[in-house]
Amino acid sequence: MTSLRRLVVALLAGFVAPATALAQTVQNPTLRRAQQAYDNLEYRQVLTLAQAALRERLTGPERARAYELLGFTYGAMDSILKAVDAFKQLVLIDPERQLDPNRVSPKAYSAFDVALRQVLLVRQLRVDSTSFVGGQGAVPIRFTVTQPARVVTRAVGSEGRFLIDSSAWNGQVNLTWPARLANGDPVPAGSYTVVVDARLGQNAFAASQPVRVSHGRVDTLAHLTSLPGYEYLPETEVPPQSWRPLGLAFLYTGGAVVGTVGLESSSLGSGSKRELAVVGGAALVTGLVMTLRKPAPRPAAANILYNRLLRDQIARRNQEIAKENVARRQQVQLTVVPLPKPGAAGVR
Amino acid sequence: MRPAAAAVLFVLGQAAPAQQITIGPQAVLASYREVVSGLRYAGFGFGGAMSVRFHKLSVDGVVTRVKLDTADGSAATQSVTATQFDAWVGYDVAPYASLEVGVIRRTADPELDAQSVGAVRLGARSFYEIGPGATILFRANYLAAPRFSGGGRAPFSLDLGLGLDVRLAGRLHGTAAYAFQRINRKTNPGGAGEIDAPIQETVGRVGLALAF
């Protein structure tokens, strides 16, 4: 199969799949006929068939689809109140149901929006995957409350129940759960369910999201051997070649010669100076050799000081790292991952 | 003798980077004049030198024994064997200079053919490392309170020195030293009045040394 044919097959599968899925979810023949009537814009027929289907035995999704068809149809027929009623039934069955404003009529969409605000729901409960050091982060939790209500959010697990928040909310809600016990320790590892309980008068609604909390070790920091941008400098430097050794040999030998000649006693006469010639000659030869030799490296005081400061800085930083690592070894890395919901939320 | 040798070995073995000990033999050339130009000797001998440095403090000691023969044209008739001991204790007052005190003791055999001398040294020295392992030295000492076997006094006595120490290989060093000594000795034989009896000595020493 060529890649072009594969692409065409994939595109066809993409278009056909939703229709096939919808056909599979709608098994009831009356509801299927209502769907076909809606597709053919036969709205009277849709109303009759959908209401008839609702009197029959339907699955949850089928019942939701029947009310959705009724809502769309009433919207198309300008019966907004009836459309709102139908959508209220729809969201009570499927609170997570969303309409695409680009694909439904504005009348139907506004009716759906009004219906949402007339029913107390907790929708779109999301717990984000996160990982943080215990005590230094929190688990983000967000949901939408469709009516002003007292909302209690808890994490319920085998290790206990932890109150996350209890406030009056309406609309989009963003909460954080530090996942800590009262004494500051992180909550024990295990499975928890984040339960959002909204209550308004006699109406109440609850939504939940299971999560798994796991413990891990906090990574320790590696010790430094160097600082970025700073390098050790050579602690010795070769001085430039100079005549200084020979000059010094001349100076010192000259001092001995002048001293000897100057101090010689006139009454004793002048000596042969063979001793001075031997030692002075040796000094001058040594001076000449040292002048011609490559100078020996000598300590570079500034570089030595710089390296000492750098070593001190690295040692100080490593002490801080060691101290931080001691603290990190006592900490716990918390990882929170949302789990698939075992069952949908519902009206109580 | 054994405890002394053990002590020396202990000191040598304990030499730390801040301290250095050098010790070695030396060949010695010397010439000696006394009283008048006609009384002169020259000779050859052997000696040994030892130097200990500990931070700013240094101690040097030299022992030489030279057989001084009468030089050509000398009025002297007999050779003399001179044994000399020099010692200095120095303290560095600057990176290239130190003050020093010491003693000198020279004896002659036969005793009356040349003066035996003892004195205290007071002076200074300058030293400079002219290359890797090569140090040159110049010293000037005033010889105070001299004593002579033949009596007399010396109000002005000086000792000049030139020294060289070169590391040849590893611990082996080559050493050379020159010393010029002028003593303005005055004597009063028979109480008839002071007469000059100067003493002048030059010594050249060349040798090897081991450094620890």
Side-chain angles (χ1 to χ4, degrees), chain A residues 137-172:
Chain A
V139 184
I141 299 170
R142 60 182 193 277
F143 53 87
T144 303
V145 185
T146 54
Q147 285 191 302
R150 163 66 59 179
V151 181
V152 178
T153 309
R154 290 188 183 87
V156 181
S158 56
E159 306 293 336
R161 299 164 66 90
F162 306 99
L163 179 65
I164 298 172
D165 181 71
S166 175
S167 307
W169 291 109
N170 183 24
Q172 177 74 35

PDB file of all heavy atoms in Angstrom, chain A residues 137-172:
ATOM      1  N   GLY A 137       4.984  22.539  47.312  1.00  0.00           N
ATOM      2  CA  GLY A 137       4.156  22.619  46.111  1.00  0.00           C
ATOM      3  C   GLY A 137       2.736  22.232  46.444  1.00  0.00           C
ATOM      4  O   GLY A 137       2.382  22.041  47.613  1.00  0.00           O
ATOM      5  N   ALA A 138       1.914  22.092  45.422  1.00  0.00           N
ATOM      6  CA  ALA A 138       0.519  21.736  45.647  1.00  0.00           C
ATOM      7  C   ALA A 138      -0.037  21.130  44.372  1.00  0.00           C
ATOM      8  O   ALA A 138       0.530  21.283  43.281  1.00  0.00           O
ATOM      9  CB  ALA A 138      -0.288  22.980  46.033  1.00  0.00           C
ATOM     10  N   VAL A 139      -1.135  20.420  44.552  1.00  0.00           N
ATOM     11  CA  VAL A 139      -1.802  19.779  43.423  1.00  0.00           C
ATOM     12  C   VAL A 139      -2.864  20.741  42.897  1.00  0.00           C
ATOM     13  O   VAL A 139      -3.748  21.149  43.639  1.00  0.00           O
ATOM     14  CB  VAL A 139      -2.472  18.459  43.881  1.00  0.00           C
ATOM     15  CG1 VAL A 139      -3.075  17.729  42.699  1.00  0.00           C
ATOM     16  CG2 VAL A 139      -1.468  17.599  44.620  1.00  0.00           C
ATOM     17  N   PRO A 140      -2.791  21.105  41.610  1.00  0.00           N
ATOM     18  CA  PRO A 140      -3.828  21.995  41.071  1.00  0.00           C
ATOM     19  C   PRO A 140      -5.135  21.241  40.810  1.00  0.00           C
ATOM     20  O   PRO A 140      -5.110  20.169  40.218  1.00  0.00           O
ATOM     21  CB  PRO A 140      -3.225  22.515  39.762  1.00  0.00           C
ATOM     22  CG  PRO A 140      -1.917  21.843  39.599  1.00  0.00           C
ATOM     23  CD  PRO A 140      -1.769  20.797  40.634  1.00  0.00           C
ATOM     24  N   ILE A 141      -6.219  21.808  41.266  1.00  0.00           N
ATOM     25  CA  ILE A 141      -7.553  21.225  41.057  1.00  0.00           C
ATOM     26  C   ILE A 141      -8.436  22.326  40.473  1.00  0.00           C
ATOM     27  O   ILE A 141      -8.427  23.455  40.978  1.00  0.00           O
ATOM     28  CB  ILE A 141      -8.165  20.723  42.385  1.00  0.00           C
ATOM     29  CG1 ILE A 141      -7.278  19.629  42.983  1.00  0.00           C
ATOM     30  CG2 ILE A 141      -9.586  20.217  42.187  1.00  0.00           C
ATOM     31  CD1 ILE A 141      -7.663  19.253  44.409  1.00  0.00           C
ATOM     32  N   ARG A 142      -9.148  22.003  39.424  1.00  0.00           N
ATOM     33  CA  ARG A 142     -10.046  23.022  38.862  1.00  0.00           C
ATOM     34  C   ARG A 142     -11.346  22.354  38.421  1.00  0.00           C
ATOM     35  O   ARG A 142     -11.359  21.181  38.012  1.00  0.00           O
ATOM     36  CB  ARG A 142      -9.383  23.791  37.730  1.00  0.00           C
ATOM     37  CG  ARG A 142      -8.959  22.951  36.553  1.00  0.00           C
ATOM     38  CD  ARG A 142      -8.272  23.833  35.514  1.00  0.00           C
ATOM     39  NE  ARG A 142      -8.136  23.121  34.255  1.00  0.00           N
ATOM     40  CZ  ARG A 142      -7.167  22.273  33.972  1.00  0.00           C
ATOM     41  NH1 ARG A 142      -6.238  22.007  34.864  1.00  0.00           N
ATOM     42  NH2 ARG A 142      -7.123  21.669  32.795  1.00  0.00           N
ATOM     43  N   PHE A 143     -12.423  23.113  38.504  1.00  0.00           N
ATOM     44  CA  PHE A 143     -13.750  22.626  38.102  1.00  0.00           C
ATOM     45  C   PHE A 143     -14.641  23.834  37.897  1.00  0.00           C
ATOM     46  O   PHE A 143     -14.267  24.980  38.177  1.00  0.00           O
ATOM     47  CB  PHE A 143     -14.340  21.663  39.154  1.00  0.00           C
ATOM     48  CG  PHE A 143     -14.376  22.210  40.544  1.00  0.00           C
ATOM     49  CD1 PHE A 143     -15.470  22.975  40.993  1.00  0.00           C
ATOM     50  CD2 PHE A 143     -13.336  21.982  41.430  1.00  0.00           C
ATOM     51  CE1 PHE A 143     -15.506  23.482  42.275  1.00  0.00           C
ATOM     52  CE2 PHE A 143     -13.368  22.493  42.721  1.00  0.00           C
ATOM     53  CZ  PHE A 143     -14.449  23.238  43.152  1.00  0.00           C
ATOM     54  N   THR A 144     -15.857  23.567  37.412  1.00  0.00           N
ATOM     55  CA  THR A 144     -16.817  24.634  37.173  1.00  0.00           C
ATOM     56  C   THR A 144     -18.097  24.323  37.941  1.00  0.00           C
ATOM     57  O   THR A 144     -18.597  23.195  37.872  1.00  0.00           O
ATOM     58  CB  THR A 144     -17.132  24.753  35.674  1.00  0.00           C
ATOM     59  OG1 THR A 144     -15.907  24.963  34.983  1.00  0.00           O
ATOM     60  CG2 THR A 144     -18.072  25.906  35.387  1.00  0.00           C
ATOM     61  N   VAL A 145     -18.564  25.304  38.670  1.00  0.00           N
ATOM     62  CA  VAL A 145     -19.850  25.180  39.366  1.00  0.00           C
ATOM     63  C   VAL A 145     -20.839  26.053  38.590  1.00  0.00           C
ATOM     64  O   VAL A 145     -20.580  27.229  38.339  1.00  0.00           O
ATOM     65  CB  VAL A 145     -19.750  25.661  40.822  1.00  0.00           C
ATOM     66  CG1 VAL A 145     -21.065  25.418  41.559  1.00  0.00           C
ATOM     67  CG2 VAL A 145     -18.617  24.962  41.539  1.00  0.00           C
ATOM     68  N   THR A 146     -21.970  25.463  38.206  1.00  0.00           N
ATOM     69  CA  THR A 146     -22.882  26.180  37.307  1.00  0.00           C
ATOM     70  C   THR A 146     -23.798  27.152  38.049  1.00  0.00           C
ATOM     71  O   THR A 146     -24.425  28.003  37.430  1.00  0.00           O
ATOM     72  CB  THR A 146     -23.738  25.184  36.526  1.00  0.00           C
ATOM     73  OG1 THR A 146     -24.389  24.315  37.461  1.00  0.00           O
ATOM     74  CG2 THR A 146     -22.876  24.363  35.583  1.00  0.00           C
ATOM     75  N   GLN A 147     -23.922  27.012  39.369  1.00  0.00           N
ATOM     76  CA  GLN A 147     -24.732  27.942  40.152  1.00  0.00           C
ATOM     77  C   GLN A 147     -23.978  28.315  41.426  1.00  0.00           C
ATOM     78  O   GLN A 147     -23.154  27.531  41.908  1.00  0.00           O
ATOM     79  CB  GLN A 147     -26.066  27.293  40.522  1.00  0.00           C
ATOM     80  CG  GLN A 147     -27.051  27.222  39.363  1.00  0.00           C
ATOM     81  CD  GLN A 147     -28.411  26.826  39.854  1.00  0.00           C
ATOM     82  OE1 GLN A 147     -28.559  25.761  40.455  1.00  0.00           O
ATOM     83  NE2 GLN A 147     -29.415  27.660  39.610  1.00  0.00           N
ATOM     84  N   PRO A 148     -24.248  29.500  41.996  1.00  0.00           N
ATOM     85  CA  PRO A 148     -23.606  29.839  43.270  1.00  0.00           C
ATOM     86  C   PRO A 148     -23.974  28.800  44.320  1.00  0.00           C
ATOM     87  O   PRO A 148     -25.168  28.547  44.535  1.00  0.00           O
ATOM     88  CB  PRO A 148     -24.176  31.213  43.617  1.00  0.00           C
ATOM     89  CG  PRO A 148     -24.743  31.738  42.353  1.00  0.00           C
ATOM     90  CD  PRO A 148     -25.171  30.569  41.543  1.00  0.00           C
ATOM     91  N   ALA A 149     -22.971  28.215  44.936  1.00  0.00           N
ATOM     92  CA  ALA A 149     -23.250  27.121  45.877  1.00  0.00           C
ATOM     93  C   ALA A 149     -22.128  27.014  46.895  1.00  0.00           C
ATOM     94  O   ALA A 149     -21.028  27.520  46.693  1.00  0.00           O
ATOM     95  CB  ALA A 149     -23.376  25.799  45.104  1.00  0.00           C
ATOM     96  N   ARG A 150     -22.448  26.366  47.997  1.00  0.00           N
ATOM     97  CA  ARG A 150     -21.422  26.017  48.987  1.00  0.00           C
ATOM     98  C   ARG A 150     -20.721  24.766  48.462  1.00  0.00           C
ATOM     99  O   ARG A 150     -21.361  23.739  48.211  1.00  0.00           O
ATOM    100  CB  ARG A 150     -22.098  25.748  50.333  1.00  0.00           C
ATOM    101  CG  ARG A 150     -21.269  24.994  51.343  1.00  0.00           C
ATOM    102  CD  ARG A 150     -20.061  25.758  51.825  1.00  0.00           C
ATOM    103  NE  ARG A 150     -20.404  27.037  52.443  1.00  0.00           N
ATOM    104  CZ  ARG A 150     -19.507  27.871  52.952  1.00  0.00           C
ATOM    105  NH1 ARG A 150     -18.209  27.572  52.878  1.00  0.00           N
ATOM    106  NH2 ARG A 150     -19.875  28.999  53.482  1.00  0.00           N
ATOM    107  N   VAL A 151     -19.434  24.882  48.248  1.00  0.00           N
ATOM    108  CA  VAL A 151     -18.703  23.781  47.631  1.00  0.00           C
ATOM    109  C   VAL A 151     -17.652  23.285  48.625  1.00  0.00           C
ATOM    110  O   VAL A 151     -16.831  24.048  49.119  1.00  0.00           O
ATOM    111  CB  VAL A 151     -18.004  24.244  46.329  1.00  0.00           C
ATOM    112  CG1 VAL A 151     -17.263  23.072  45.692  1.00  0.00           C
ATOM    113  CG2 VAL A 151     -19.010  24.834  45.370  1.00  0.00           C
ATOM    114  N   VAL A 152     -17.720  21.990  48.928  1.00  0.00           N
ATOM    115  CA  VAL A 152     -16.731  21.365  49.811  1.00  0.00           C
ATOM    116  C   VAL A 152     -15.908  20.399  48.965  1.00  0.00           C
ATOM    117  O   VAL A 152     -16.463  19.530  48.288  1.00  0.00           O
ATOM    118  CB  VAL A 152     -17.427  20.619  50.968  1.00  0.00           C
ATOM    119  CG1 VAL A 152     -16.377  19.930  51.847  1.00  0.00           C
ATOM    120  CG2 VAL A 152     -18.249  21.585  51.799  1.00  0.00           C
ATOM    121  N   THR A 153     -14.612  20.600  49.014  1.00  0.00           N
ATOM    122  CA  THR A 153     -13.717  19.748  48.228  1.00  0.00           C
ATOM    123  C   THR A 153     -12.874  18.934  49.199  1.00  0.00           C
ATOM    124  O   THR A 153     -12.267  19.486  50.126  1.00  0.00           O
ATOM    125  CB  THR A 153     -12.806  20.603  47.334  1.00  0.00           C
ATOM    126  OG1 THR A 153     -13.614  21.521  46.589  1.00  0.00           O
ATOM    127  CG2 THR A 153     -12.005  19.751  46.382  1.00  0.00           C
ATOM    128  N   ARG A 154     -12.846  17.631  48.965  1.00  0.00           N
ATOM    129  CA  ARG A 154     -12.105  16.743  49.875  1.00  0.00           C
ATOM    130  C   ARG A 154     -11.263  15.771  49.045  1.00  0.00           C
ATOM    131  O   ARG A 154     -11.589  15.495  47.887  1.00  0.00           O
ATOM    132  CB  ARG A 154     -13.062  15.910  50.738  1.00  0.00           C
ATOM    133  CG  ARG A 154     -13.834  16.681  51.783  1.00  0.00           C
ATOM    134  CD  ARG A 154     -14.582  15.689  52.682  1.00  0.00           C
ATOM    135  NE  ARG A 154     -15.401  16.393  53.667  1.00  0.00           N
ATOM    136  CZ  ARG A 154     -16.634  16.804  53.438  1.00  0.00           C
ATOM    137  NH1 ARG A 154     -17.192  16.576  52.267  1.00  0.00           N
ATOM    138  NH2 ARG A 154     -17.320  17.429  54.381  1.00  0.00           N
ATOM    139  N   ALA A 155     -10.232  15.257  49.701  1.00  0.00           N
ATOM    140  CA  ALA A 155      -9.504  14.112  49.156  1.00  0.00           C
ATOM    141  C   ALA A 155      -9.795  12.952  50.089  1.00  0.00           C
ATOM    142  O   ALA A 155      -9.519  13.027  51.284  1.00  0.00           O
ATOM    143  CB  ALA A 155      -8.016  14.397  49.094  1.00  0.00           C
ATOM    144  N   VAL A 156     -10.361  11.912  49.536  1.00  0.00           N
ATOM    145  CA  VAL A 156     -10.783  10.780  50.343  1.00  0.00           C
ATOM    146  C   VAL A 156      -9.947   9.572  49.925  1.00  0.00           C
ATOM    147  O   VAL A 156      -9.870   9.247  48.732  1.00  0.00           O
ATOM    148  CB  VAL A 156     -12.286  10.486  50.136  1.00  0.00           C
ATOM    149  CG1 VAL A 156     -12.713   9.313  51.009  1.00  0.00           C
ATOM    150  CG2 VAL A 156     -13.110  11.719  50.457  1.00  0.00           C
ATOM    151  N   GLY A 157      -9.328   8.930  50.890  1.00  0.00           N
ATOM    152  CA  GLY A 157      -8.529   7.745  50.585  1.00  0.00           C
ATOM    153  C   GLY A 157      -8.562   6.780  51.738  1.00  0.00           C
ATOM    154  O   GLY A 157      -9.181   7.043  52.776  1.00  0.00           O
ATOM    155  N   SER A 158      -7.891   5.660  51.552  1.00  0.00           N
ATOM    156  CA  SER A 158      -7.872   4.656  52.611  1.00  0.00           C
ATOM    157  C   SER A 158      -7.116   5.179  53.838  1.00  0.00           C
ATOM    158  O   SER A 158      -7.285   4.679  54.947  1.00  0.00           O
ATOM    159  CB  SER A 158      -7.213   3.380  52.087  1.00  0.00           C
ATOM    160  OG  SER A 158      -5.920   3.695  51.611  1.00  0.00           O
ATOM    161  N   GLU A 159      -6.255   6.183  53.619  1.00  0.00           N
ATOM    162  CA  GLU A 159      -5.471   6.731  54.730  1.00  0.00           C
ATOM    163  C   GLU A 159      -6.229   7.832  55.481  1.00  0.00           C
ATOM    164  O   GLU A 159      -5.712   8.364  56.459  1.00  0.00           O
ATOM    165  CB  GLU A 159      -4.145   7.286  54.206  1.00  0.00           C
ATOM    166  CG  GLU A 159      -3.324   6.310  53.387  1.00  0.00           C
ATOM    167  CD  GLU A 159      -2.816   5.149  54.217  1.00  0.00           C
ATOM    168  OE1 GLU A 159      -2.709   5.320  55.448  1.00  0.00           O
ATOM    169  OE2 GLU A 159      -2.559   4.086  53.646  1.00  0.00           O
ATOM    170  N   GLY A 160      -7.389   8.211  54.953  1.00  0.00           N
ATOM    171  CA  GLY A 160      -8.151   9.234  55.659  1.00  0.00           C
ATOM    172  C   GLY A 160      -8.827  10.199  54.708  1.00  0.00           C
ATOM    173  O   GLY A 160      -8.757  10.064  53.483  1.00  0.00           O
ATOM    174  N   ARG A 161      -9.515  11.179  55.305  1.00  0.00           N
ATOM    175  CA  ARG A 161     -10.190  12.212  54.515  1.00  0.00           C
ATOM    176  C   ARG A 161      -9.516  13.540  54.808  1.00  0.00           C
ATOM    177  O   ARG A 161      -9.265  13.875  55.952  1.00  0.00           O
ATOM    178  CB  ARG A 161     -11.670  12.302  54.920  1.00  0.00           C
ATOM    179  CG  ARG A 161     -12.454  11.023  54.689  1.00  0.00           C
ATOM    180  CD  ARG A 161     -13.761  11.042  55.455  1.00  0.00           C
ATOM    181  NE  ARG A 161     -14.680  12.061  54.964  1.00  0.00           N
ATOM    182  CZ  ARG A 161     -15.569  11.868  54.012  1.00  0.00           C
ATOM    183  NH1 ARG A 161     -15.666  10.676  53.447  1.00  0.00           N
ATOM    184  NH2 ARG A 161     -16.367  12.827  53.616  1.00  0.00           N
ATOM    185  N   PHE A 162      -9.232  14.264  53.777  1.00  0.00           N
ATOM    186  CA  PHE A 162      -8.522  15.536  53.930  1.00  0.00           C
ATOM    187  C   PHE A 162      -9.334  16.637  53.277  1.00  0.00           C
ATOM    188  O   PHE A 162      -9.637  16.556  52.082  1.00  0.00           O
ATOM    189  CB  PHE A 162      -7.132  15.465  53.298  1.00  0.00           C
ATOM    190  CG  PHE A 162      -6.311  14.318  53.805  1.00  0.00           C
ATOM    191  CD1 PHE A 162      -6.205  13.142  53.068  1.00  0.00           C
ATOM    192  CD2 PHE A 162      -5.676  14.383  55.033  1.00  0.00           C
ATOM    193  CE1 PHE A 162      -5.475  12.091  53.533  1.00  0.00           C
ATOM    194  CE2 PHE A 162      -4.940  13.322  55.502  1.00  0.00           C
ATOM    195  CZ  PHE A 162      -4.834  12.160  54.760  1.00  0.00           C
ATOM    196  N   LEU A 163      -9.707  17.620  54.085  1.00  0.00           N
ATOM    197  CA  LEU A 163     -10.460  18.753  53.547  1.00  0.00           C
ATOM    198  C   LEU A 163      -9.514  19.641  52.740  1.00  0.00           C
ATOM    199  O   LEU A 163      -8.468  20.059  53.225  1.00  0.00           O
ATOM    200  CB  LEU A 163     -11.066  19.556  54.700  1.00  0.00           C
ATOM    201  CG  LEU A 163     -11.860  20.797  54.285  1.00  0.00           C
ATOM    202  CD1 LEU A 163     -13.099  20.394  53.490  1.00  0.00           C
ATOM    203  CD2 LEU A 163     -12.236  21.635  55.497  1.00  0.00           C
ATOM    204  N   ILE A 164      -9.915  19.906  51.530  1.00  0.00           N
ATOM    205  CA  ILE A 164      -9.092  20.762  50.662  1.00  0.00           C
ATOM    206  C   ILE A 164      -9.613  22.187  50.682  1.00  0.00           C
ATOM    207  O   ILE A 164      -8.853  23.135  50.809  1.00  0.00           O
ATOM    208  CB  ILE A 164      -9.082  20.205  49.222  1.00  0.00           C
ATOM    209  CG1 ILE A 164      -8.456  18.812  49.208  1.00  0.00           C
ATOM    210  CG2 ILE A 164      -8.331  21.143  48.279  1.00  0.00           C
ATOM    211  CD1 ILE A 164      -8.582  18.095  47.881  1.00  0.00           C
ATOM    212  N   ASP A 165     -10.922  22.317  50.604  1.00  0.00           N
ATOM    213  CA  ASP A 165     -11.492  23.666  50.566  1.00  0.00           C
ATOM    214  C   ASP A 165     -12.971  23.575  50.909  1.00  0.00           C
ATOM    215  O   ASP A 165     -13.631  22.567  50.616  1.00  0.00           O
ATOM    216  CB  ASP A 165     -11.310  24.269  49.167  1.00  0.00           C
ATOM    217  CG  ASP A 165     -11.867  25.680  49.086  1.00  0.00           C
ATOM    218  OD1 ASP A 165     -11.261  26.581  49.682  1.00  0.00           O
ATOM    219  OD2 ASP A 165     -12.926  25.860  48.460  1.00  0.00           O
ATOM    220  N   SER A 166     -13.479  24.633  51.521  1.00  0.00           N
ATOM    221  CA  SER A 166     -14.912  24.724  51.776  1.00  0.00           C
ATOM    222  C   SER A 166     -15.291  26.194  51.655  1.00  0.00           C
ATOM    223  O   SER A 166     -14.981  26.994  52.535  1.00  0.00           O
ATOM    224  CB  SER A 166     -15.243  24.182  53.173  1.00  0.00           C
ATOM    225  OG  SER A 166     -16.615  24.375  53.441  1.00  0.00           O
ATOM    226  N   SER A 167     -15.890  26.552  50.506  1.00  0.00           N
ATOM    227  CA  SER A 167     -16.207  27.953  50.239  1.00  0.00           C
ATOM    228  C   SER A 167     -17.434  28.036  49.344  1.00  0.00           C
ATOM    229  O   SER A 167     -17.898  27.018  48.803  1.00  0.00           O
ATOM    230  CB  SER A 167     -15.047  28.660  49.523  1.00  0.00           C
ATOM    231  OG  SER A 167     -13.855  28.481  50.223  1.00  0.00           O
ATOM    232  N   ALA A 168     -17.919  29.246  49.206  1.00  0.00           N
ATOM    233  CA  ALA A 168     -18.997  29.490  48.254  1.00  0.00           C
ATOM    234  C   ALA A 168     -18.373  29.835  46.912  1.00  0.00           C
ATOM    235  O   ALA A 168     -17.498  30.710  46.835  1.00  0.00           O
ATOM    236  CB  ALA A 168     -19.873  30.642  48.731  1.00  0.00           C
ATOM    237  N   TRP A 169     -18.784  29.125  45.881  1.00  0.00           N
ATOM    238  CA  TRP A 169     -18.172  29.321  44.567  1.00  0.00           C
ATOM    239  C   TRP A 169     -19.255  29.415  43.505  1.00  0.00           C
ATOM    240  O   TRP A 169     -20.344  28.873  43.657  1.00  0.00           O
ATOM    241  CB  TRP A 169     -17.240  28.162  44.200  1.00  0.00           C
ATOM    242  CG  TRP A 169     -15.986  28.058  45.009  1.00  0.00           C
ATOM    243  CD1 TRP A 169     -15.703  27.112  45.938  1.00  0.00           C
ATOM    244  CD2 TRP A 169     -14.860  28.916  44.935  1.00  0.00           C
ATOM    245  NE1 TRP A 169     -14.470  27.311  46.473  1.00  0.00           N
ATOM    246  CE2 TRP A 169     -13.915  28.430  45.873  1.00  0.00           C
ATOM    247  CE3 TRP A 169     -14.544  30.070  44.207  1.00  0.00           C
ATOM    248  CZ2 TRP A 169     -12.694  29.036  46.083  1.00  0.00           C
ATOM    249  CZ3 TRP A 169     -13.310  30.646  44.405  1.00  0.00           C
ATOM    250  CH2 TRP A 169     -12.396  30.136  45.345  1.00  0.00           C
ATOM    251  N   ASN A 170     -18.881  30.023  42.404  1.00  0.00           N
ATOM    252  CA  ASN A 170     -19.737  30.022  41.216  1.00  0.00           C
ATOM    253  C   ASN A 170     -18.823  30.211  40.013  1.00  0.00           C
ATOM    254  O   ASN A 170     -17.923  31.044  40.034  1.00  0.00           O
ATOM    255  CB  ASN A 170     -20.750  31.162  41.271  1.00  0.00           C
ATOM    256  CG  ASN A 170     -21.701  31.127  40.074  1.00  0.00           C
ATOM    257  OD1 ASN A 170     -21.906  30.061  39.472  1.00  0.00           O
ATOM    258  ND2 ASN A 170     -22.291  32.257  39.744  1.00  0.00           N
ATOM    259  N   GLY A 171     -19.063  29.403  38.977  1.00  0.00           N
ATOM    260  CA  GLY A 171     -18.240  29.511  37.786  1.00  0.00           C
ATOM    261  C   GLY A 171     -16.967  28.698  37.903  1.00  0.00           C
ATOM    262  O   GLY A 171     -16.917  27.676  38.586  1.00  0.00           O
ATOM    263  N   GLN A 172     -15.928  29.196  37.234  1.00  0.00           N
ATOM    264  CA  GLN A 172     -14.647  28.473  37.206  1.00  0.00           C
ATOM    265  C   GLN A 172     -13.965  28.569  38.576  1.00  0.00           C
ATOM    266  O   GLN A 172     -13.855  29.657  39.148  1.00  0.00           O
ATOM    267  CB  GLN A 172     -13.744  29.096  36.135  1.00  0.00           C
ATOM    268  CG  GLN A 172     -12.359  28.507  36.043  1.00  0.00           C
ATOM    269  CD  GLN A 172     -12.349  27.125  35.389  1.00  0.00           C
ATOM    270  OE1 GLN A 172     -13.145  26.867  34.472  1.00  0.00           O
ATOM    271  NE2 GLN A 172     -11.492  26.255  35.872  1.00  0.00           N
TER     272      GLN A 172
END
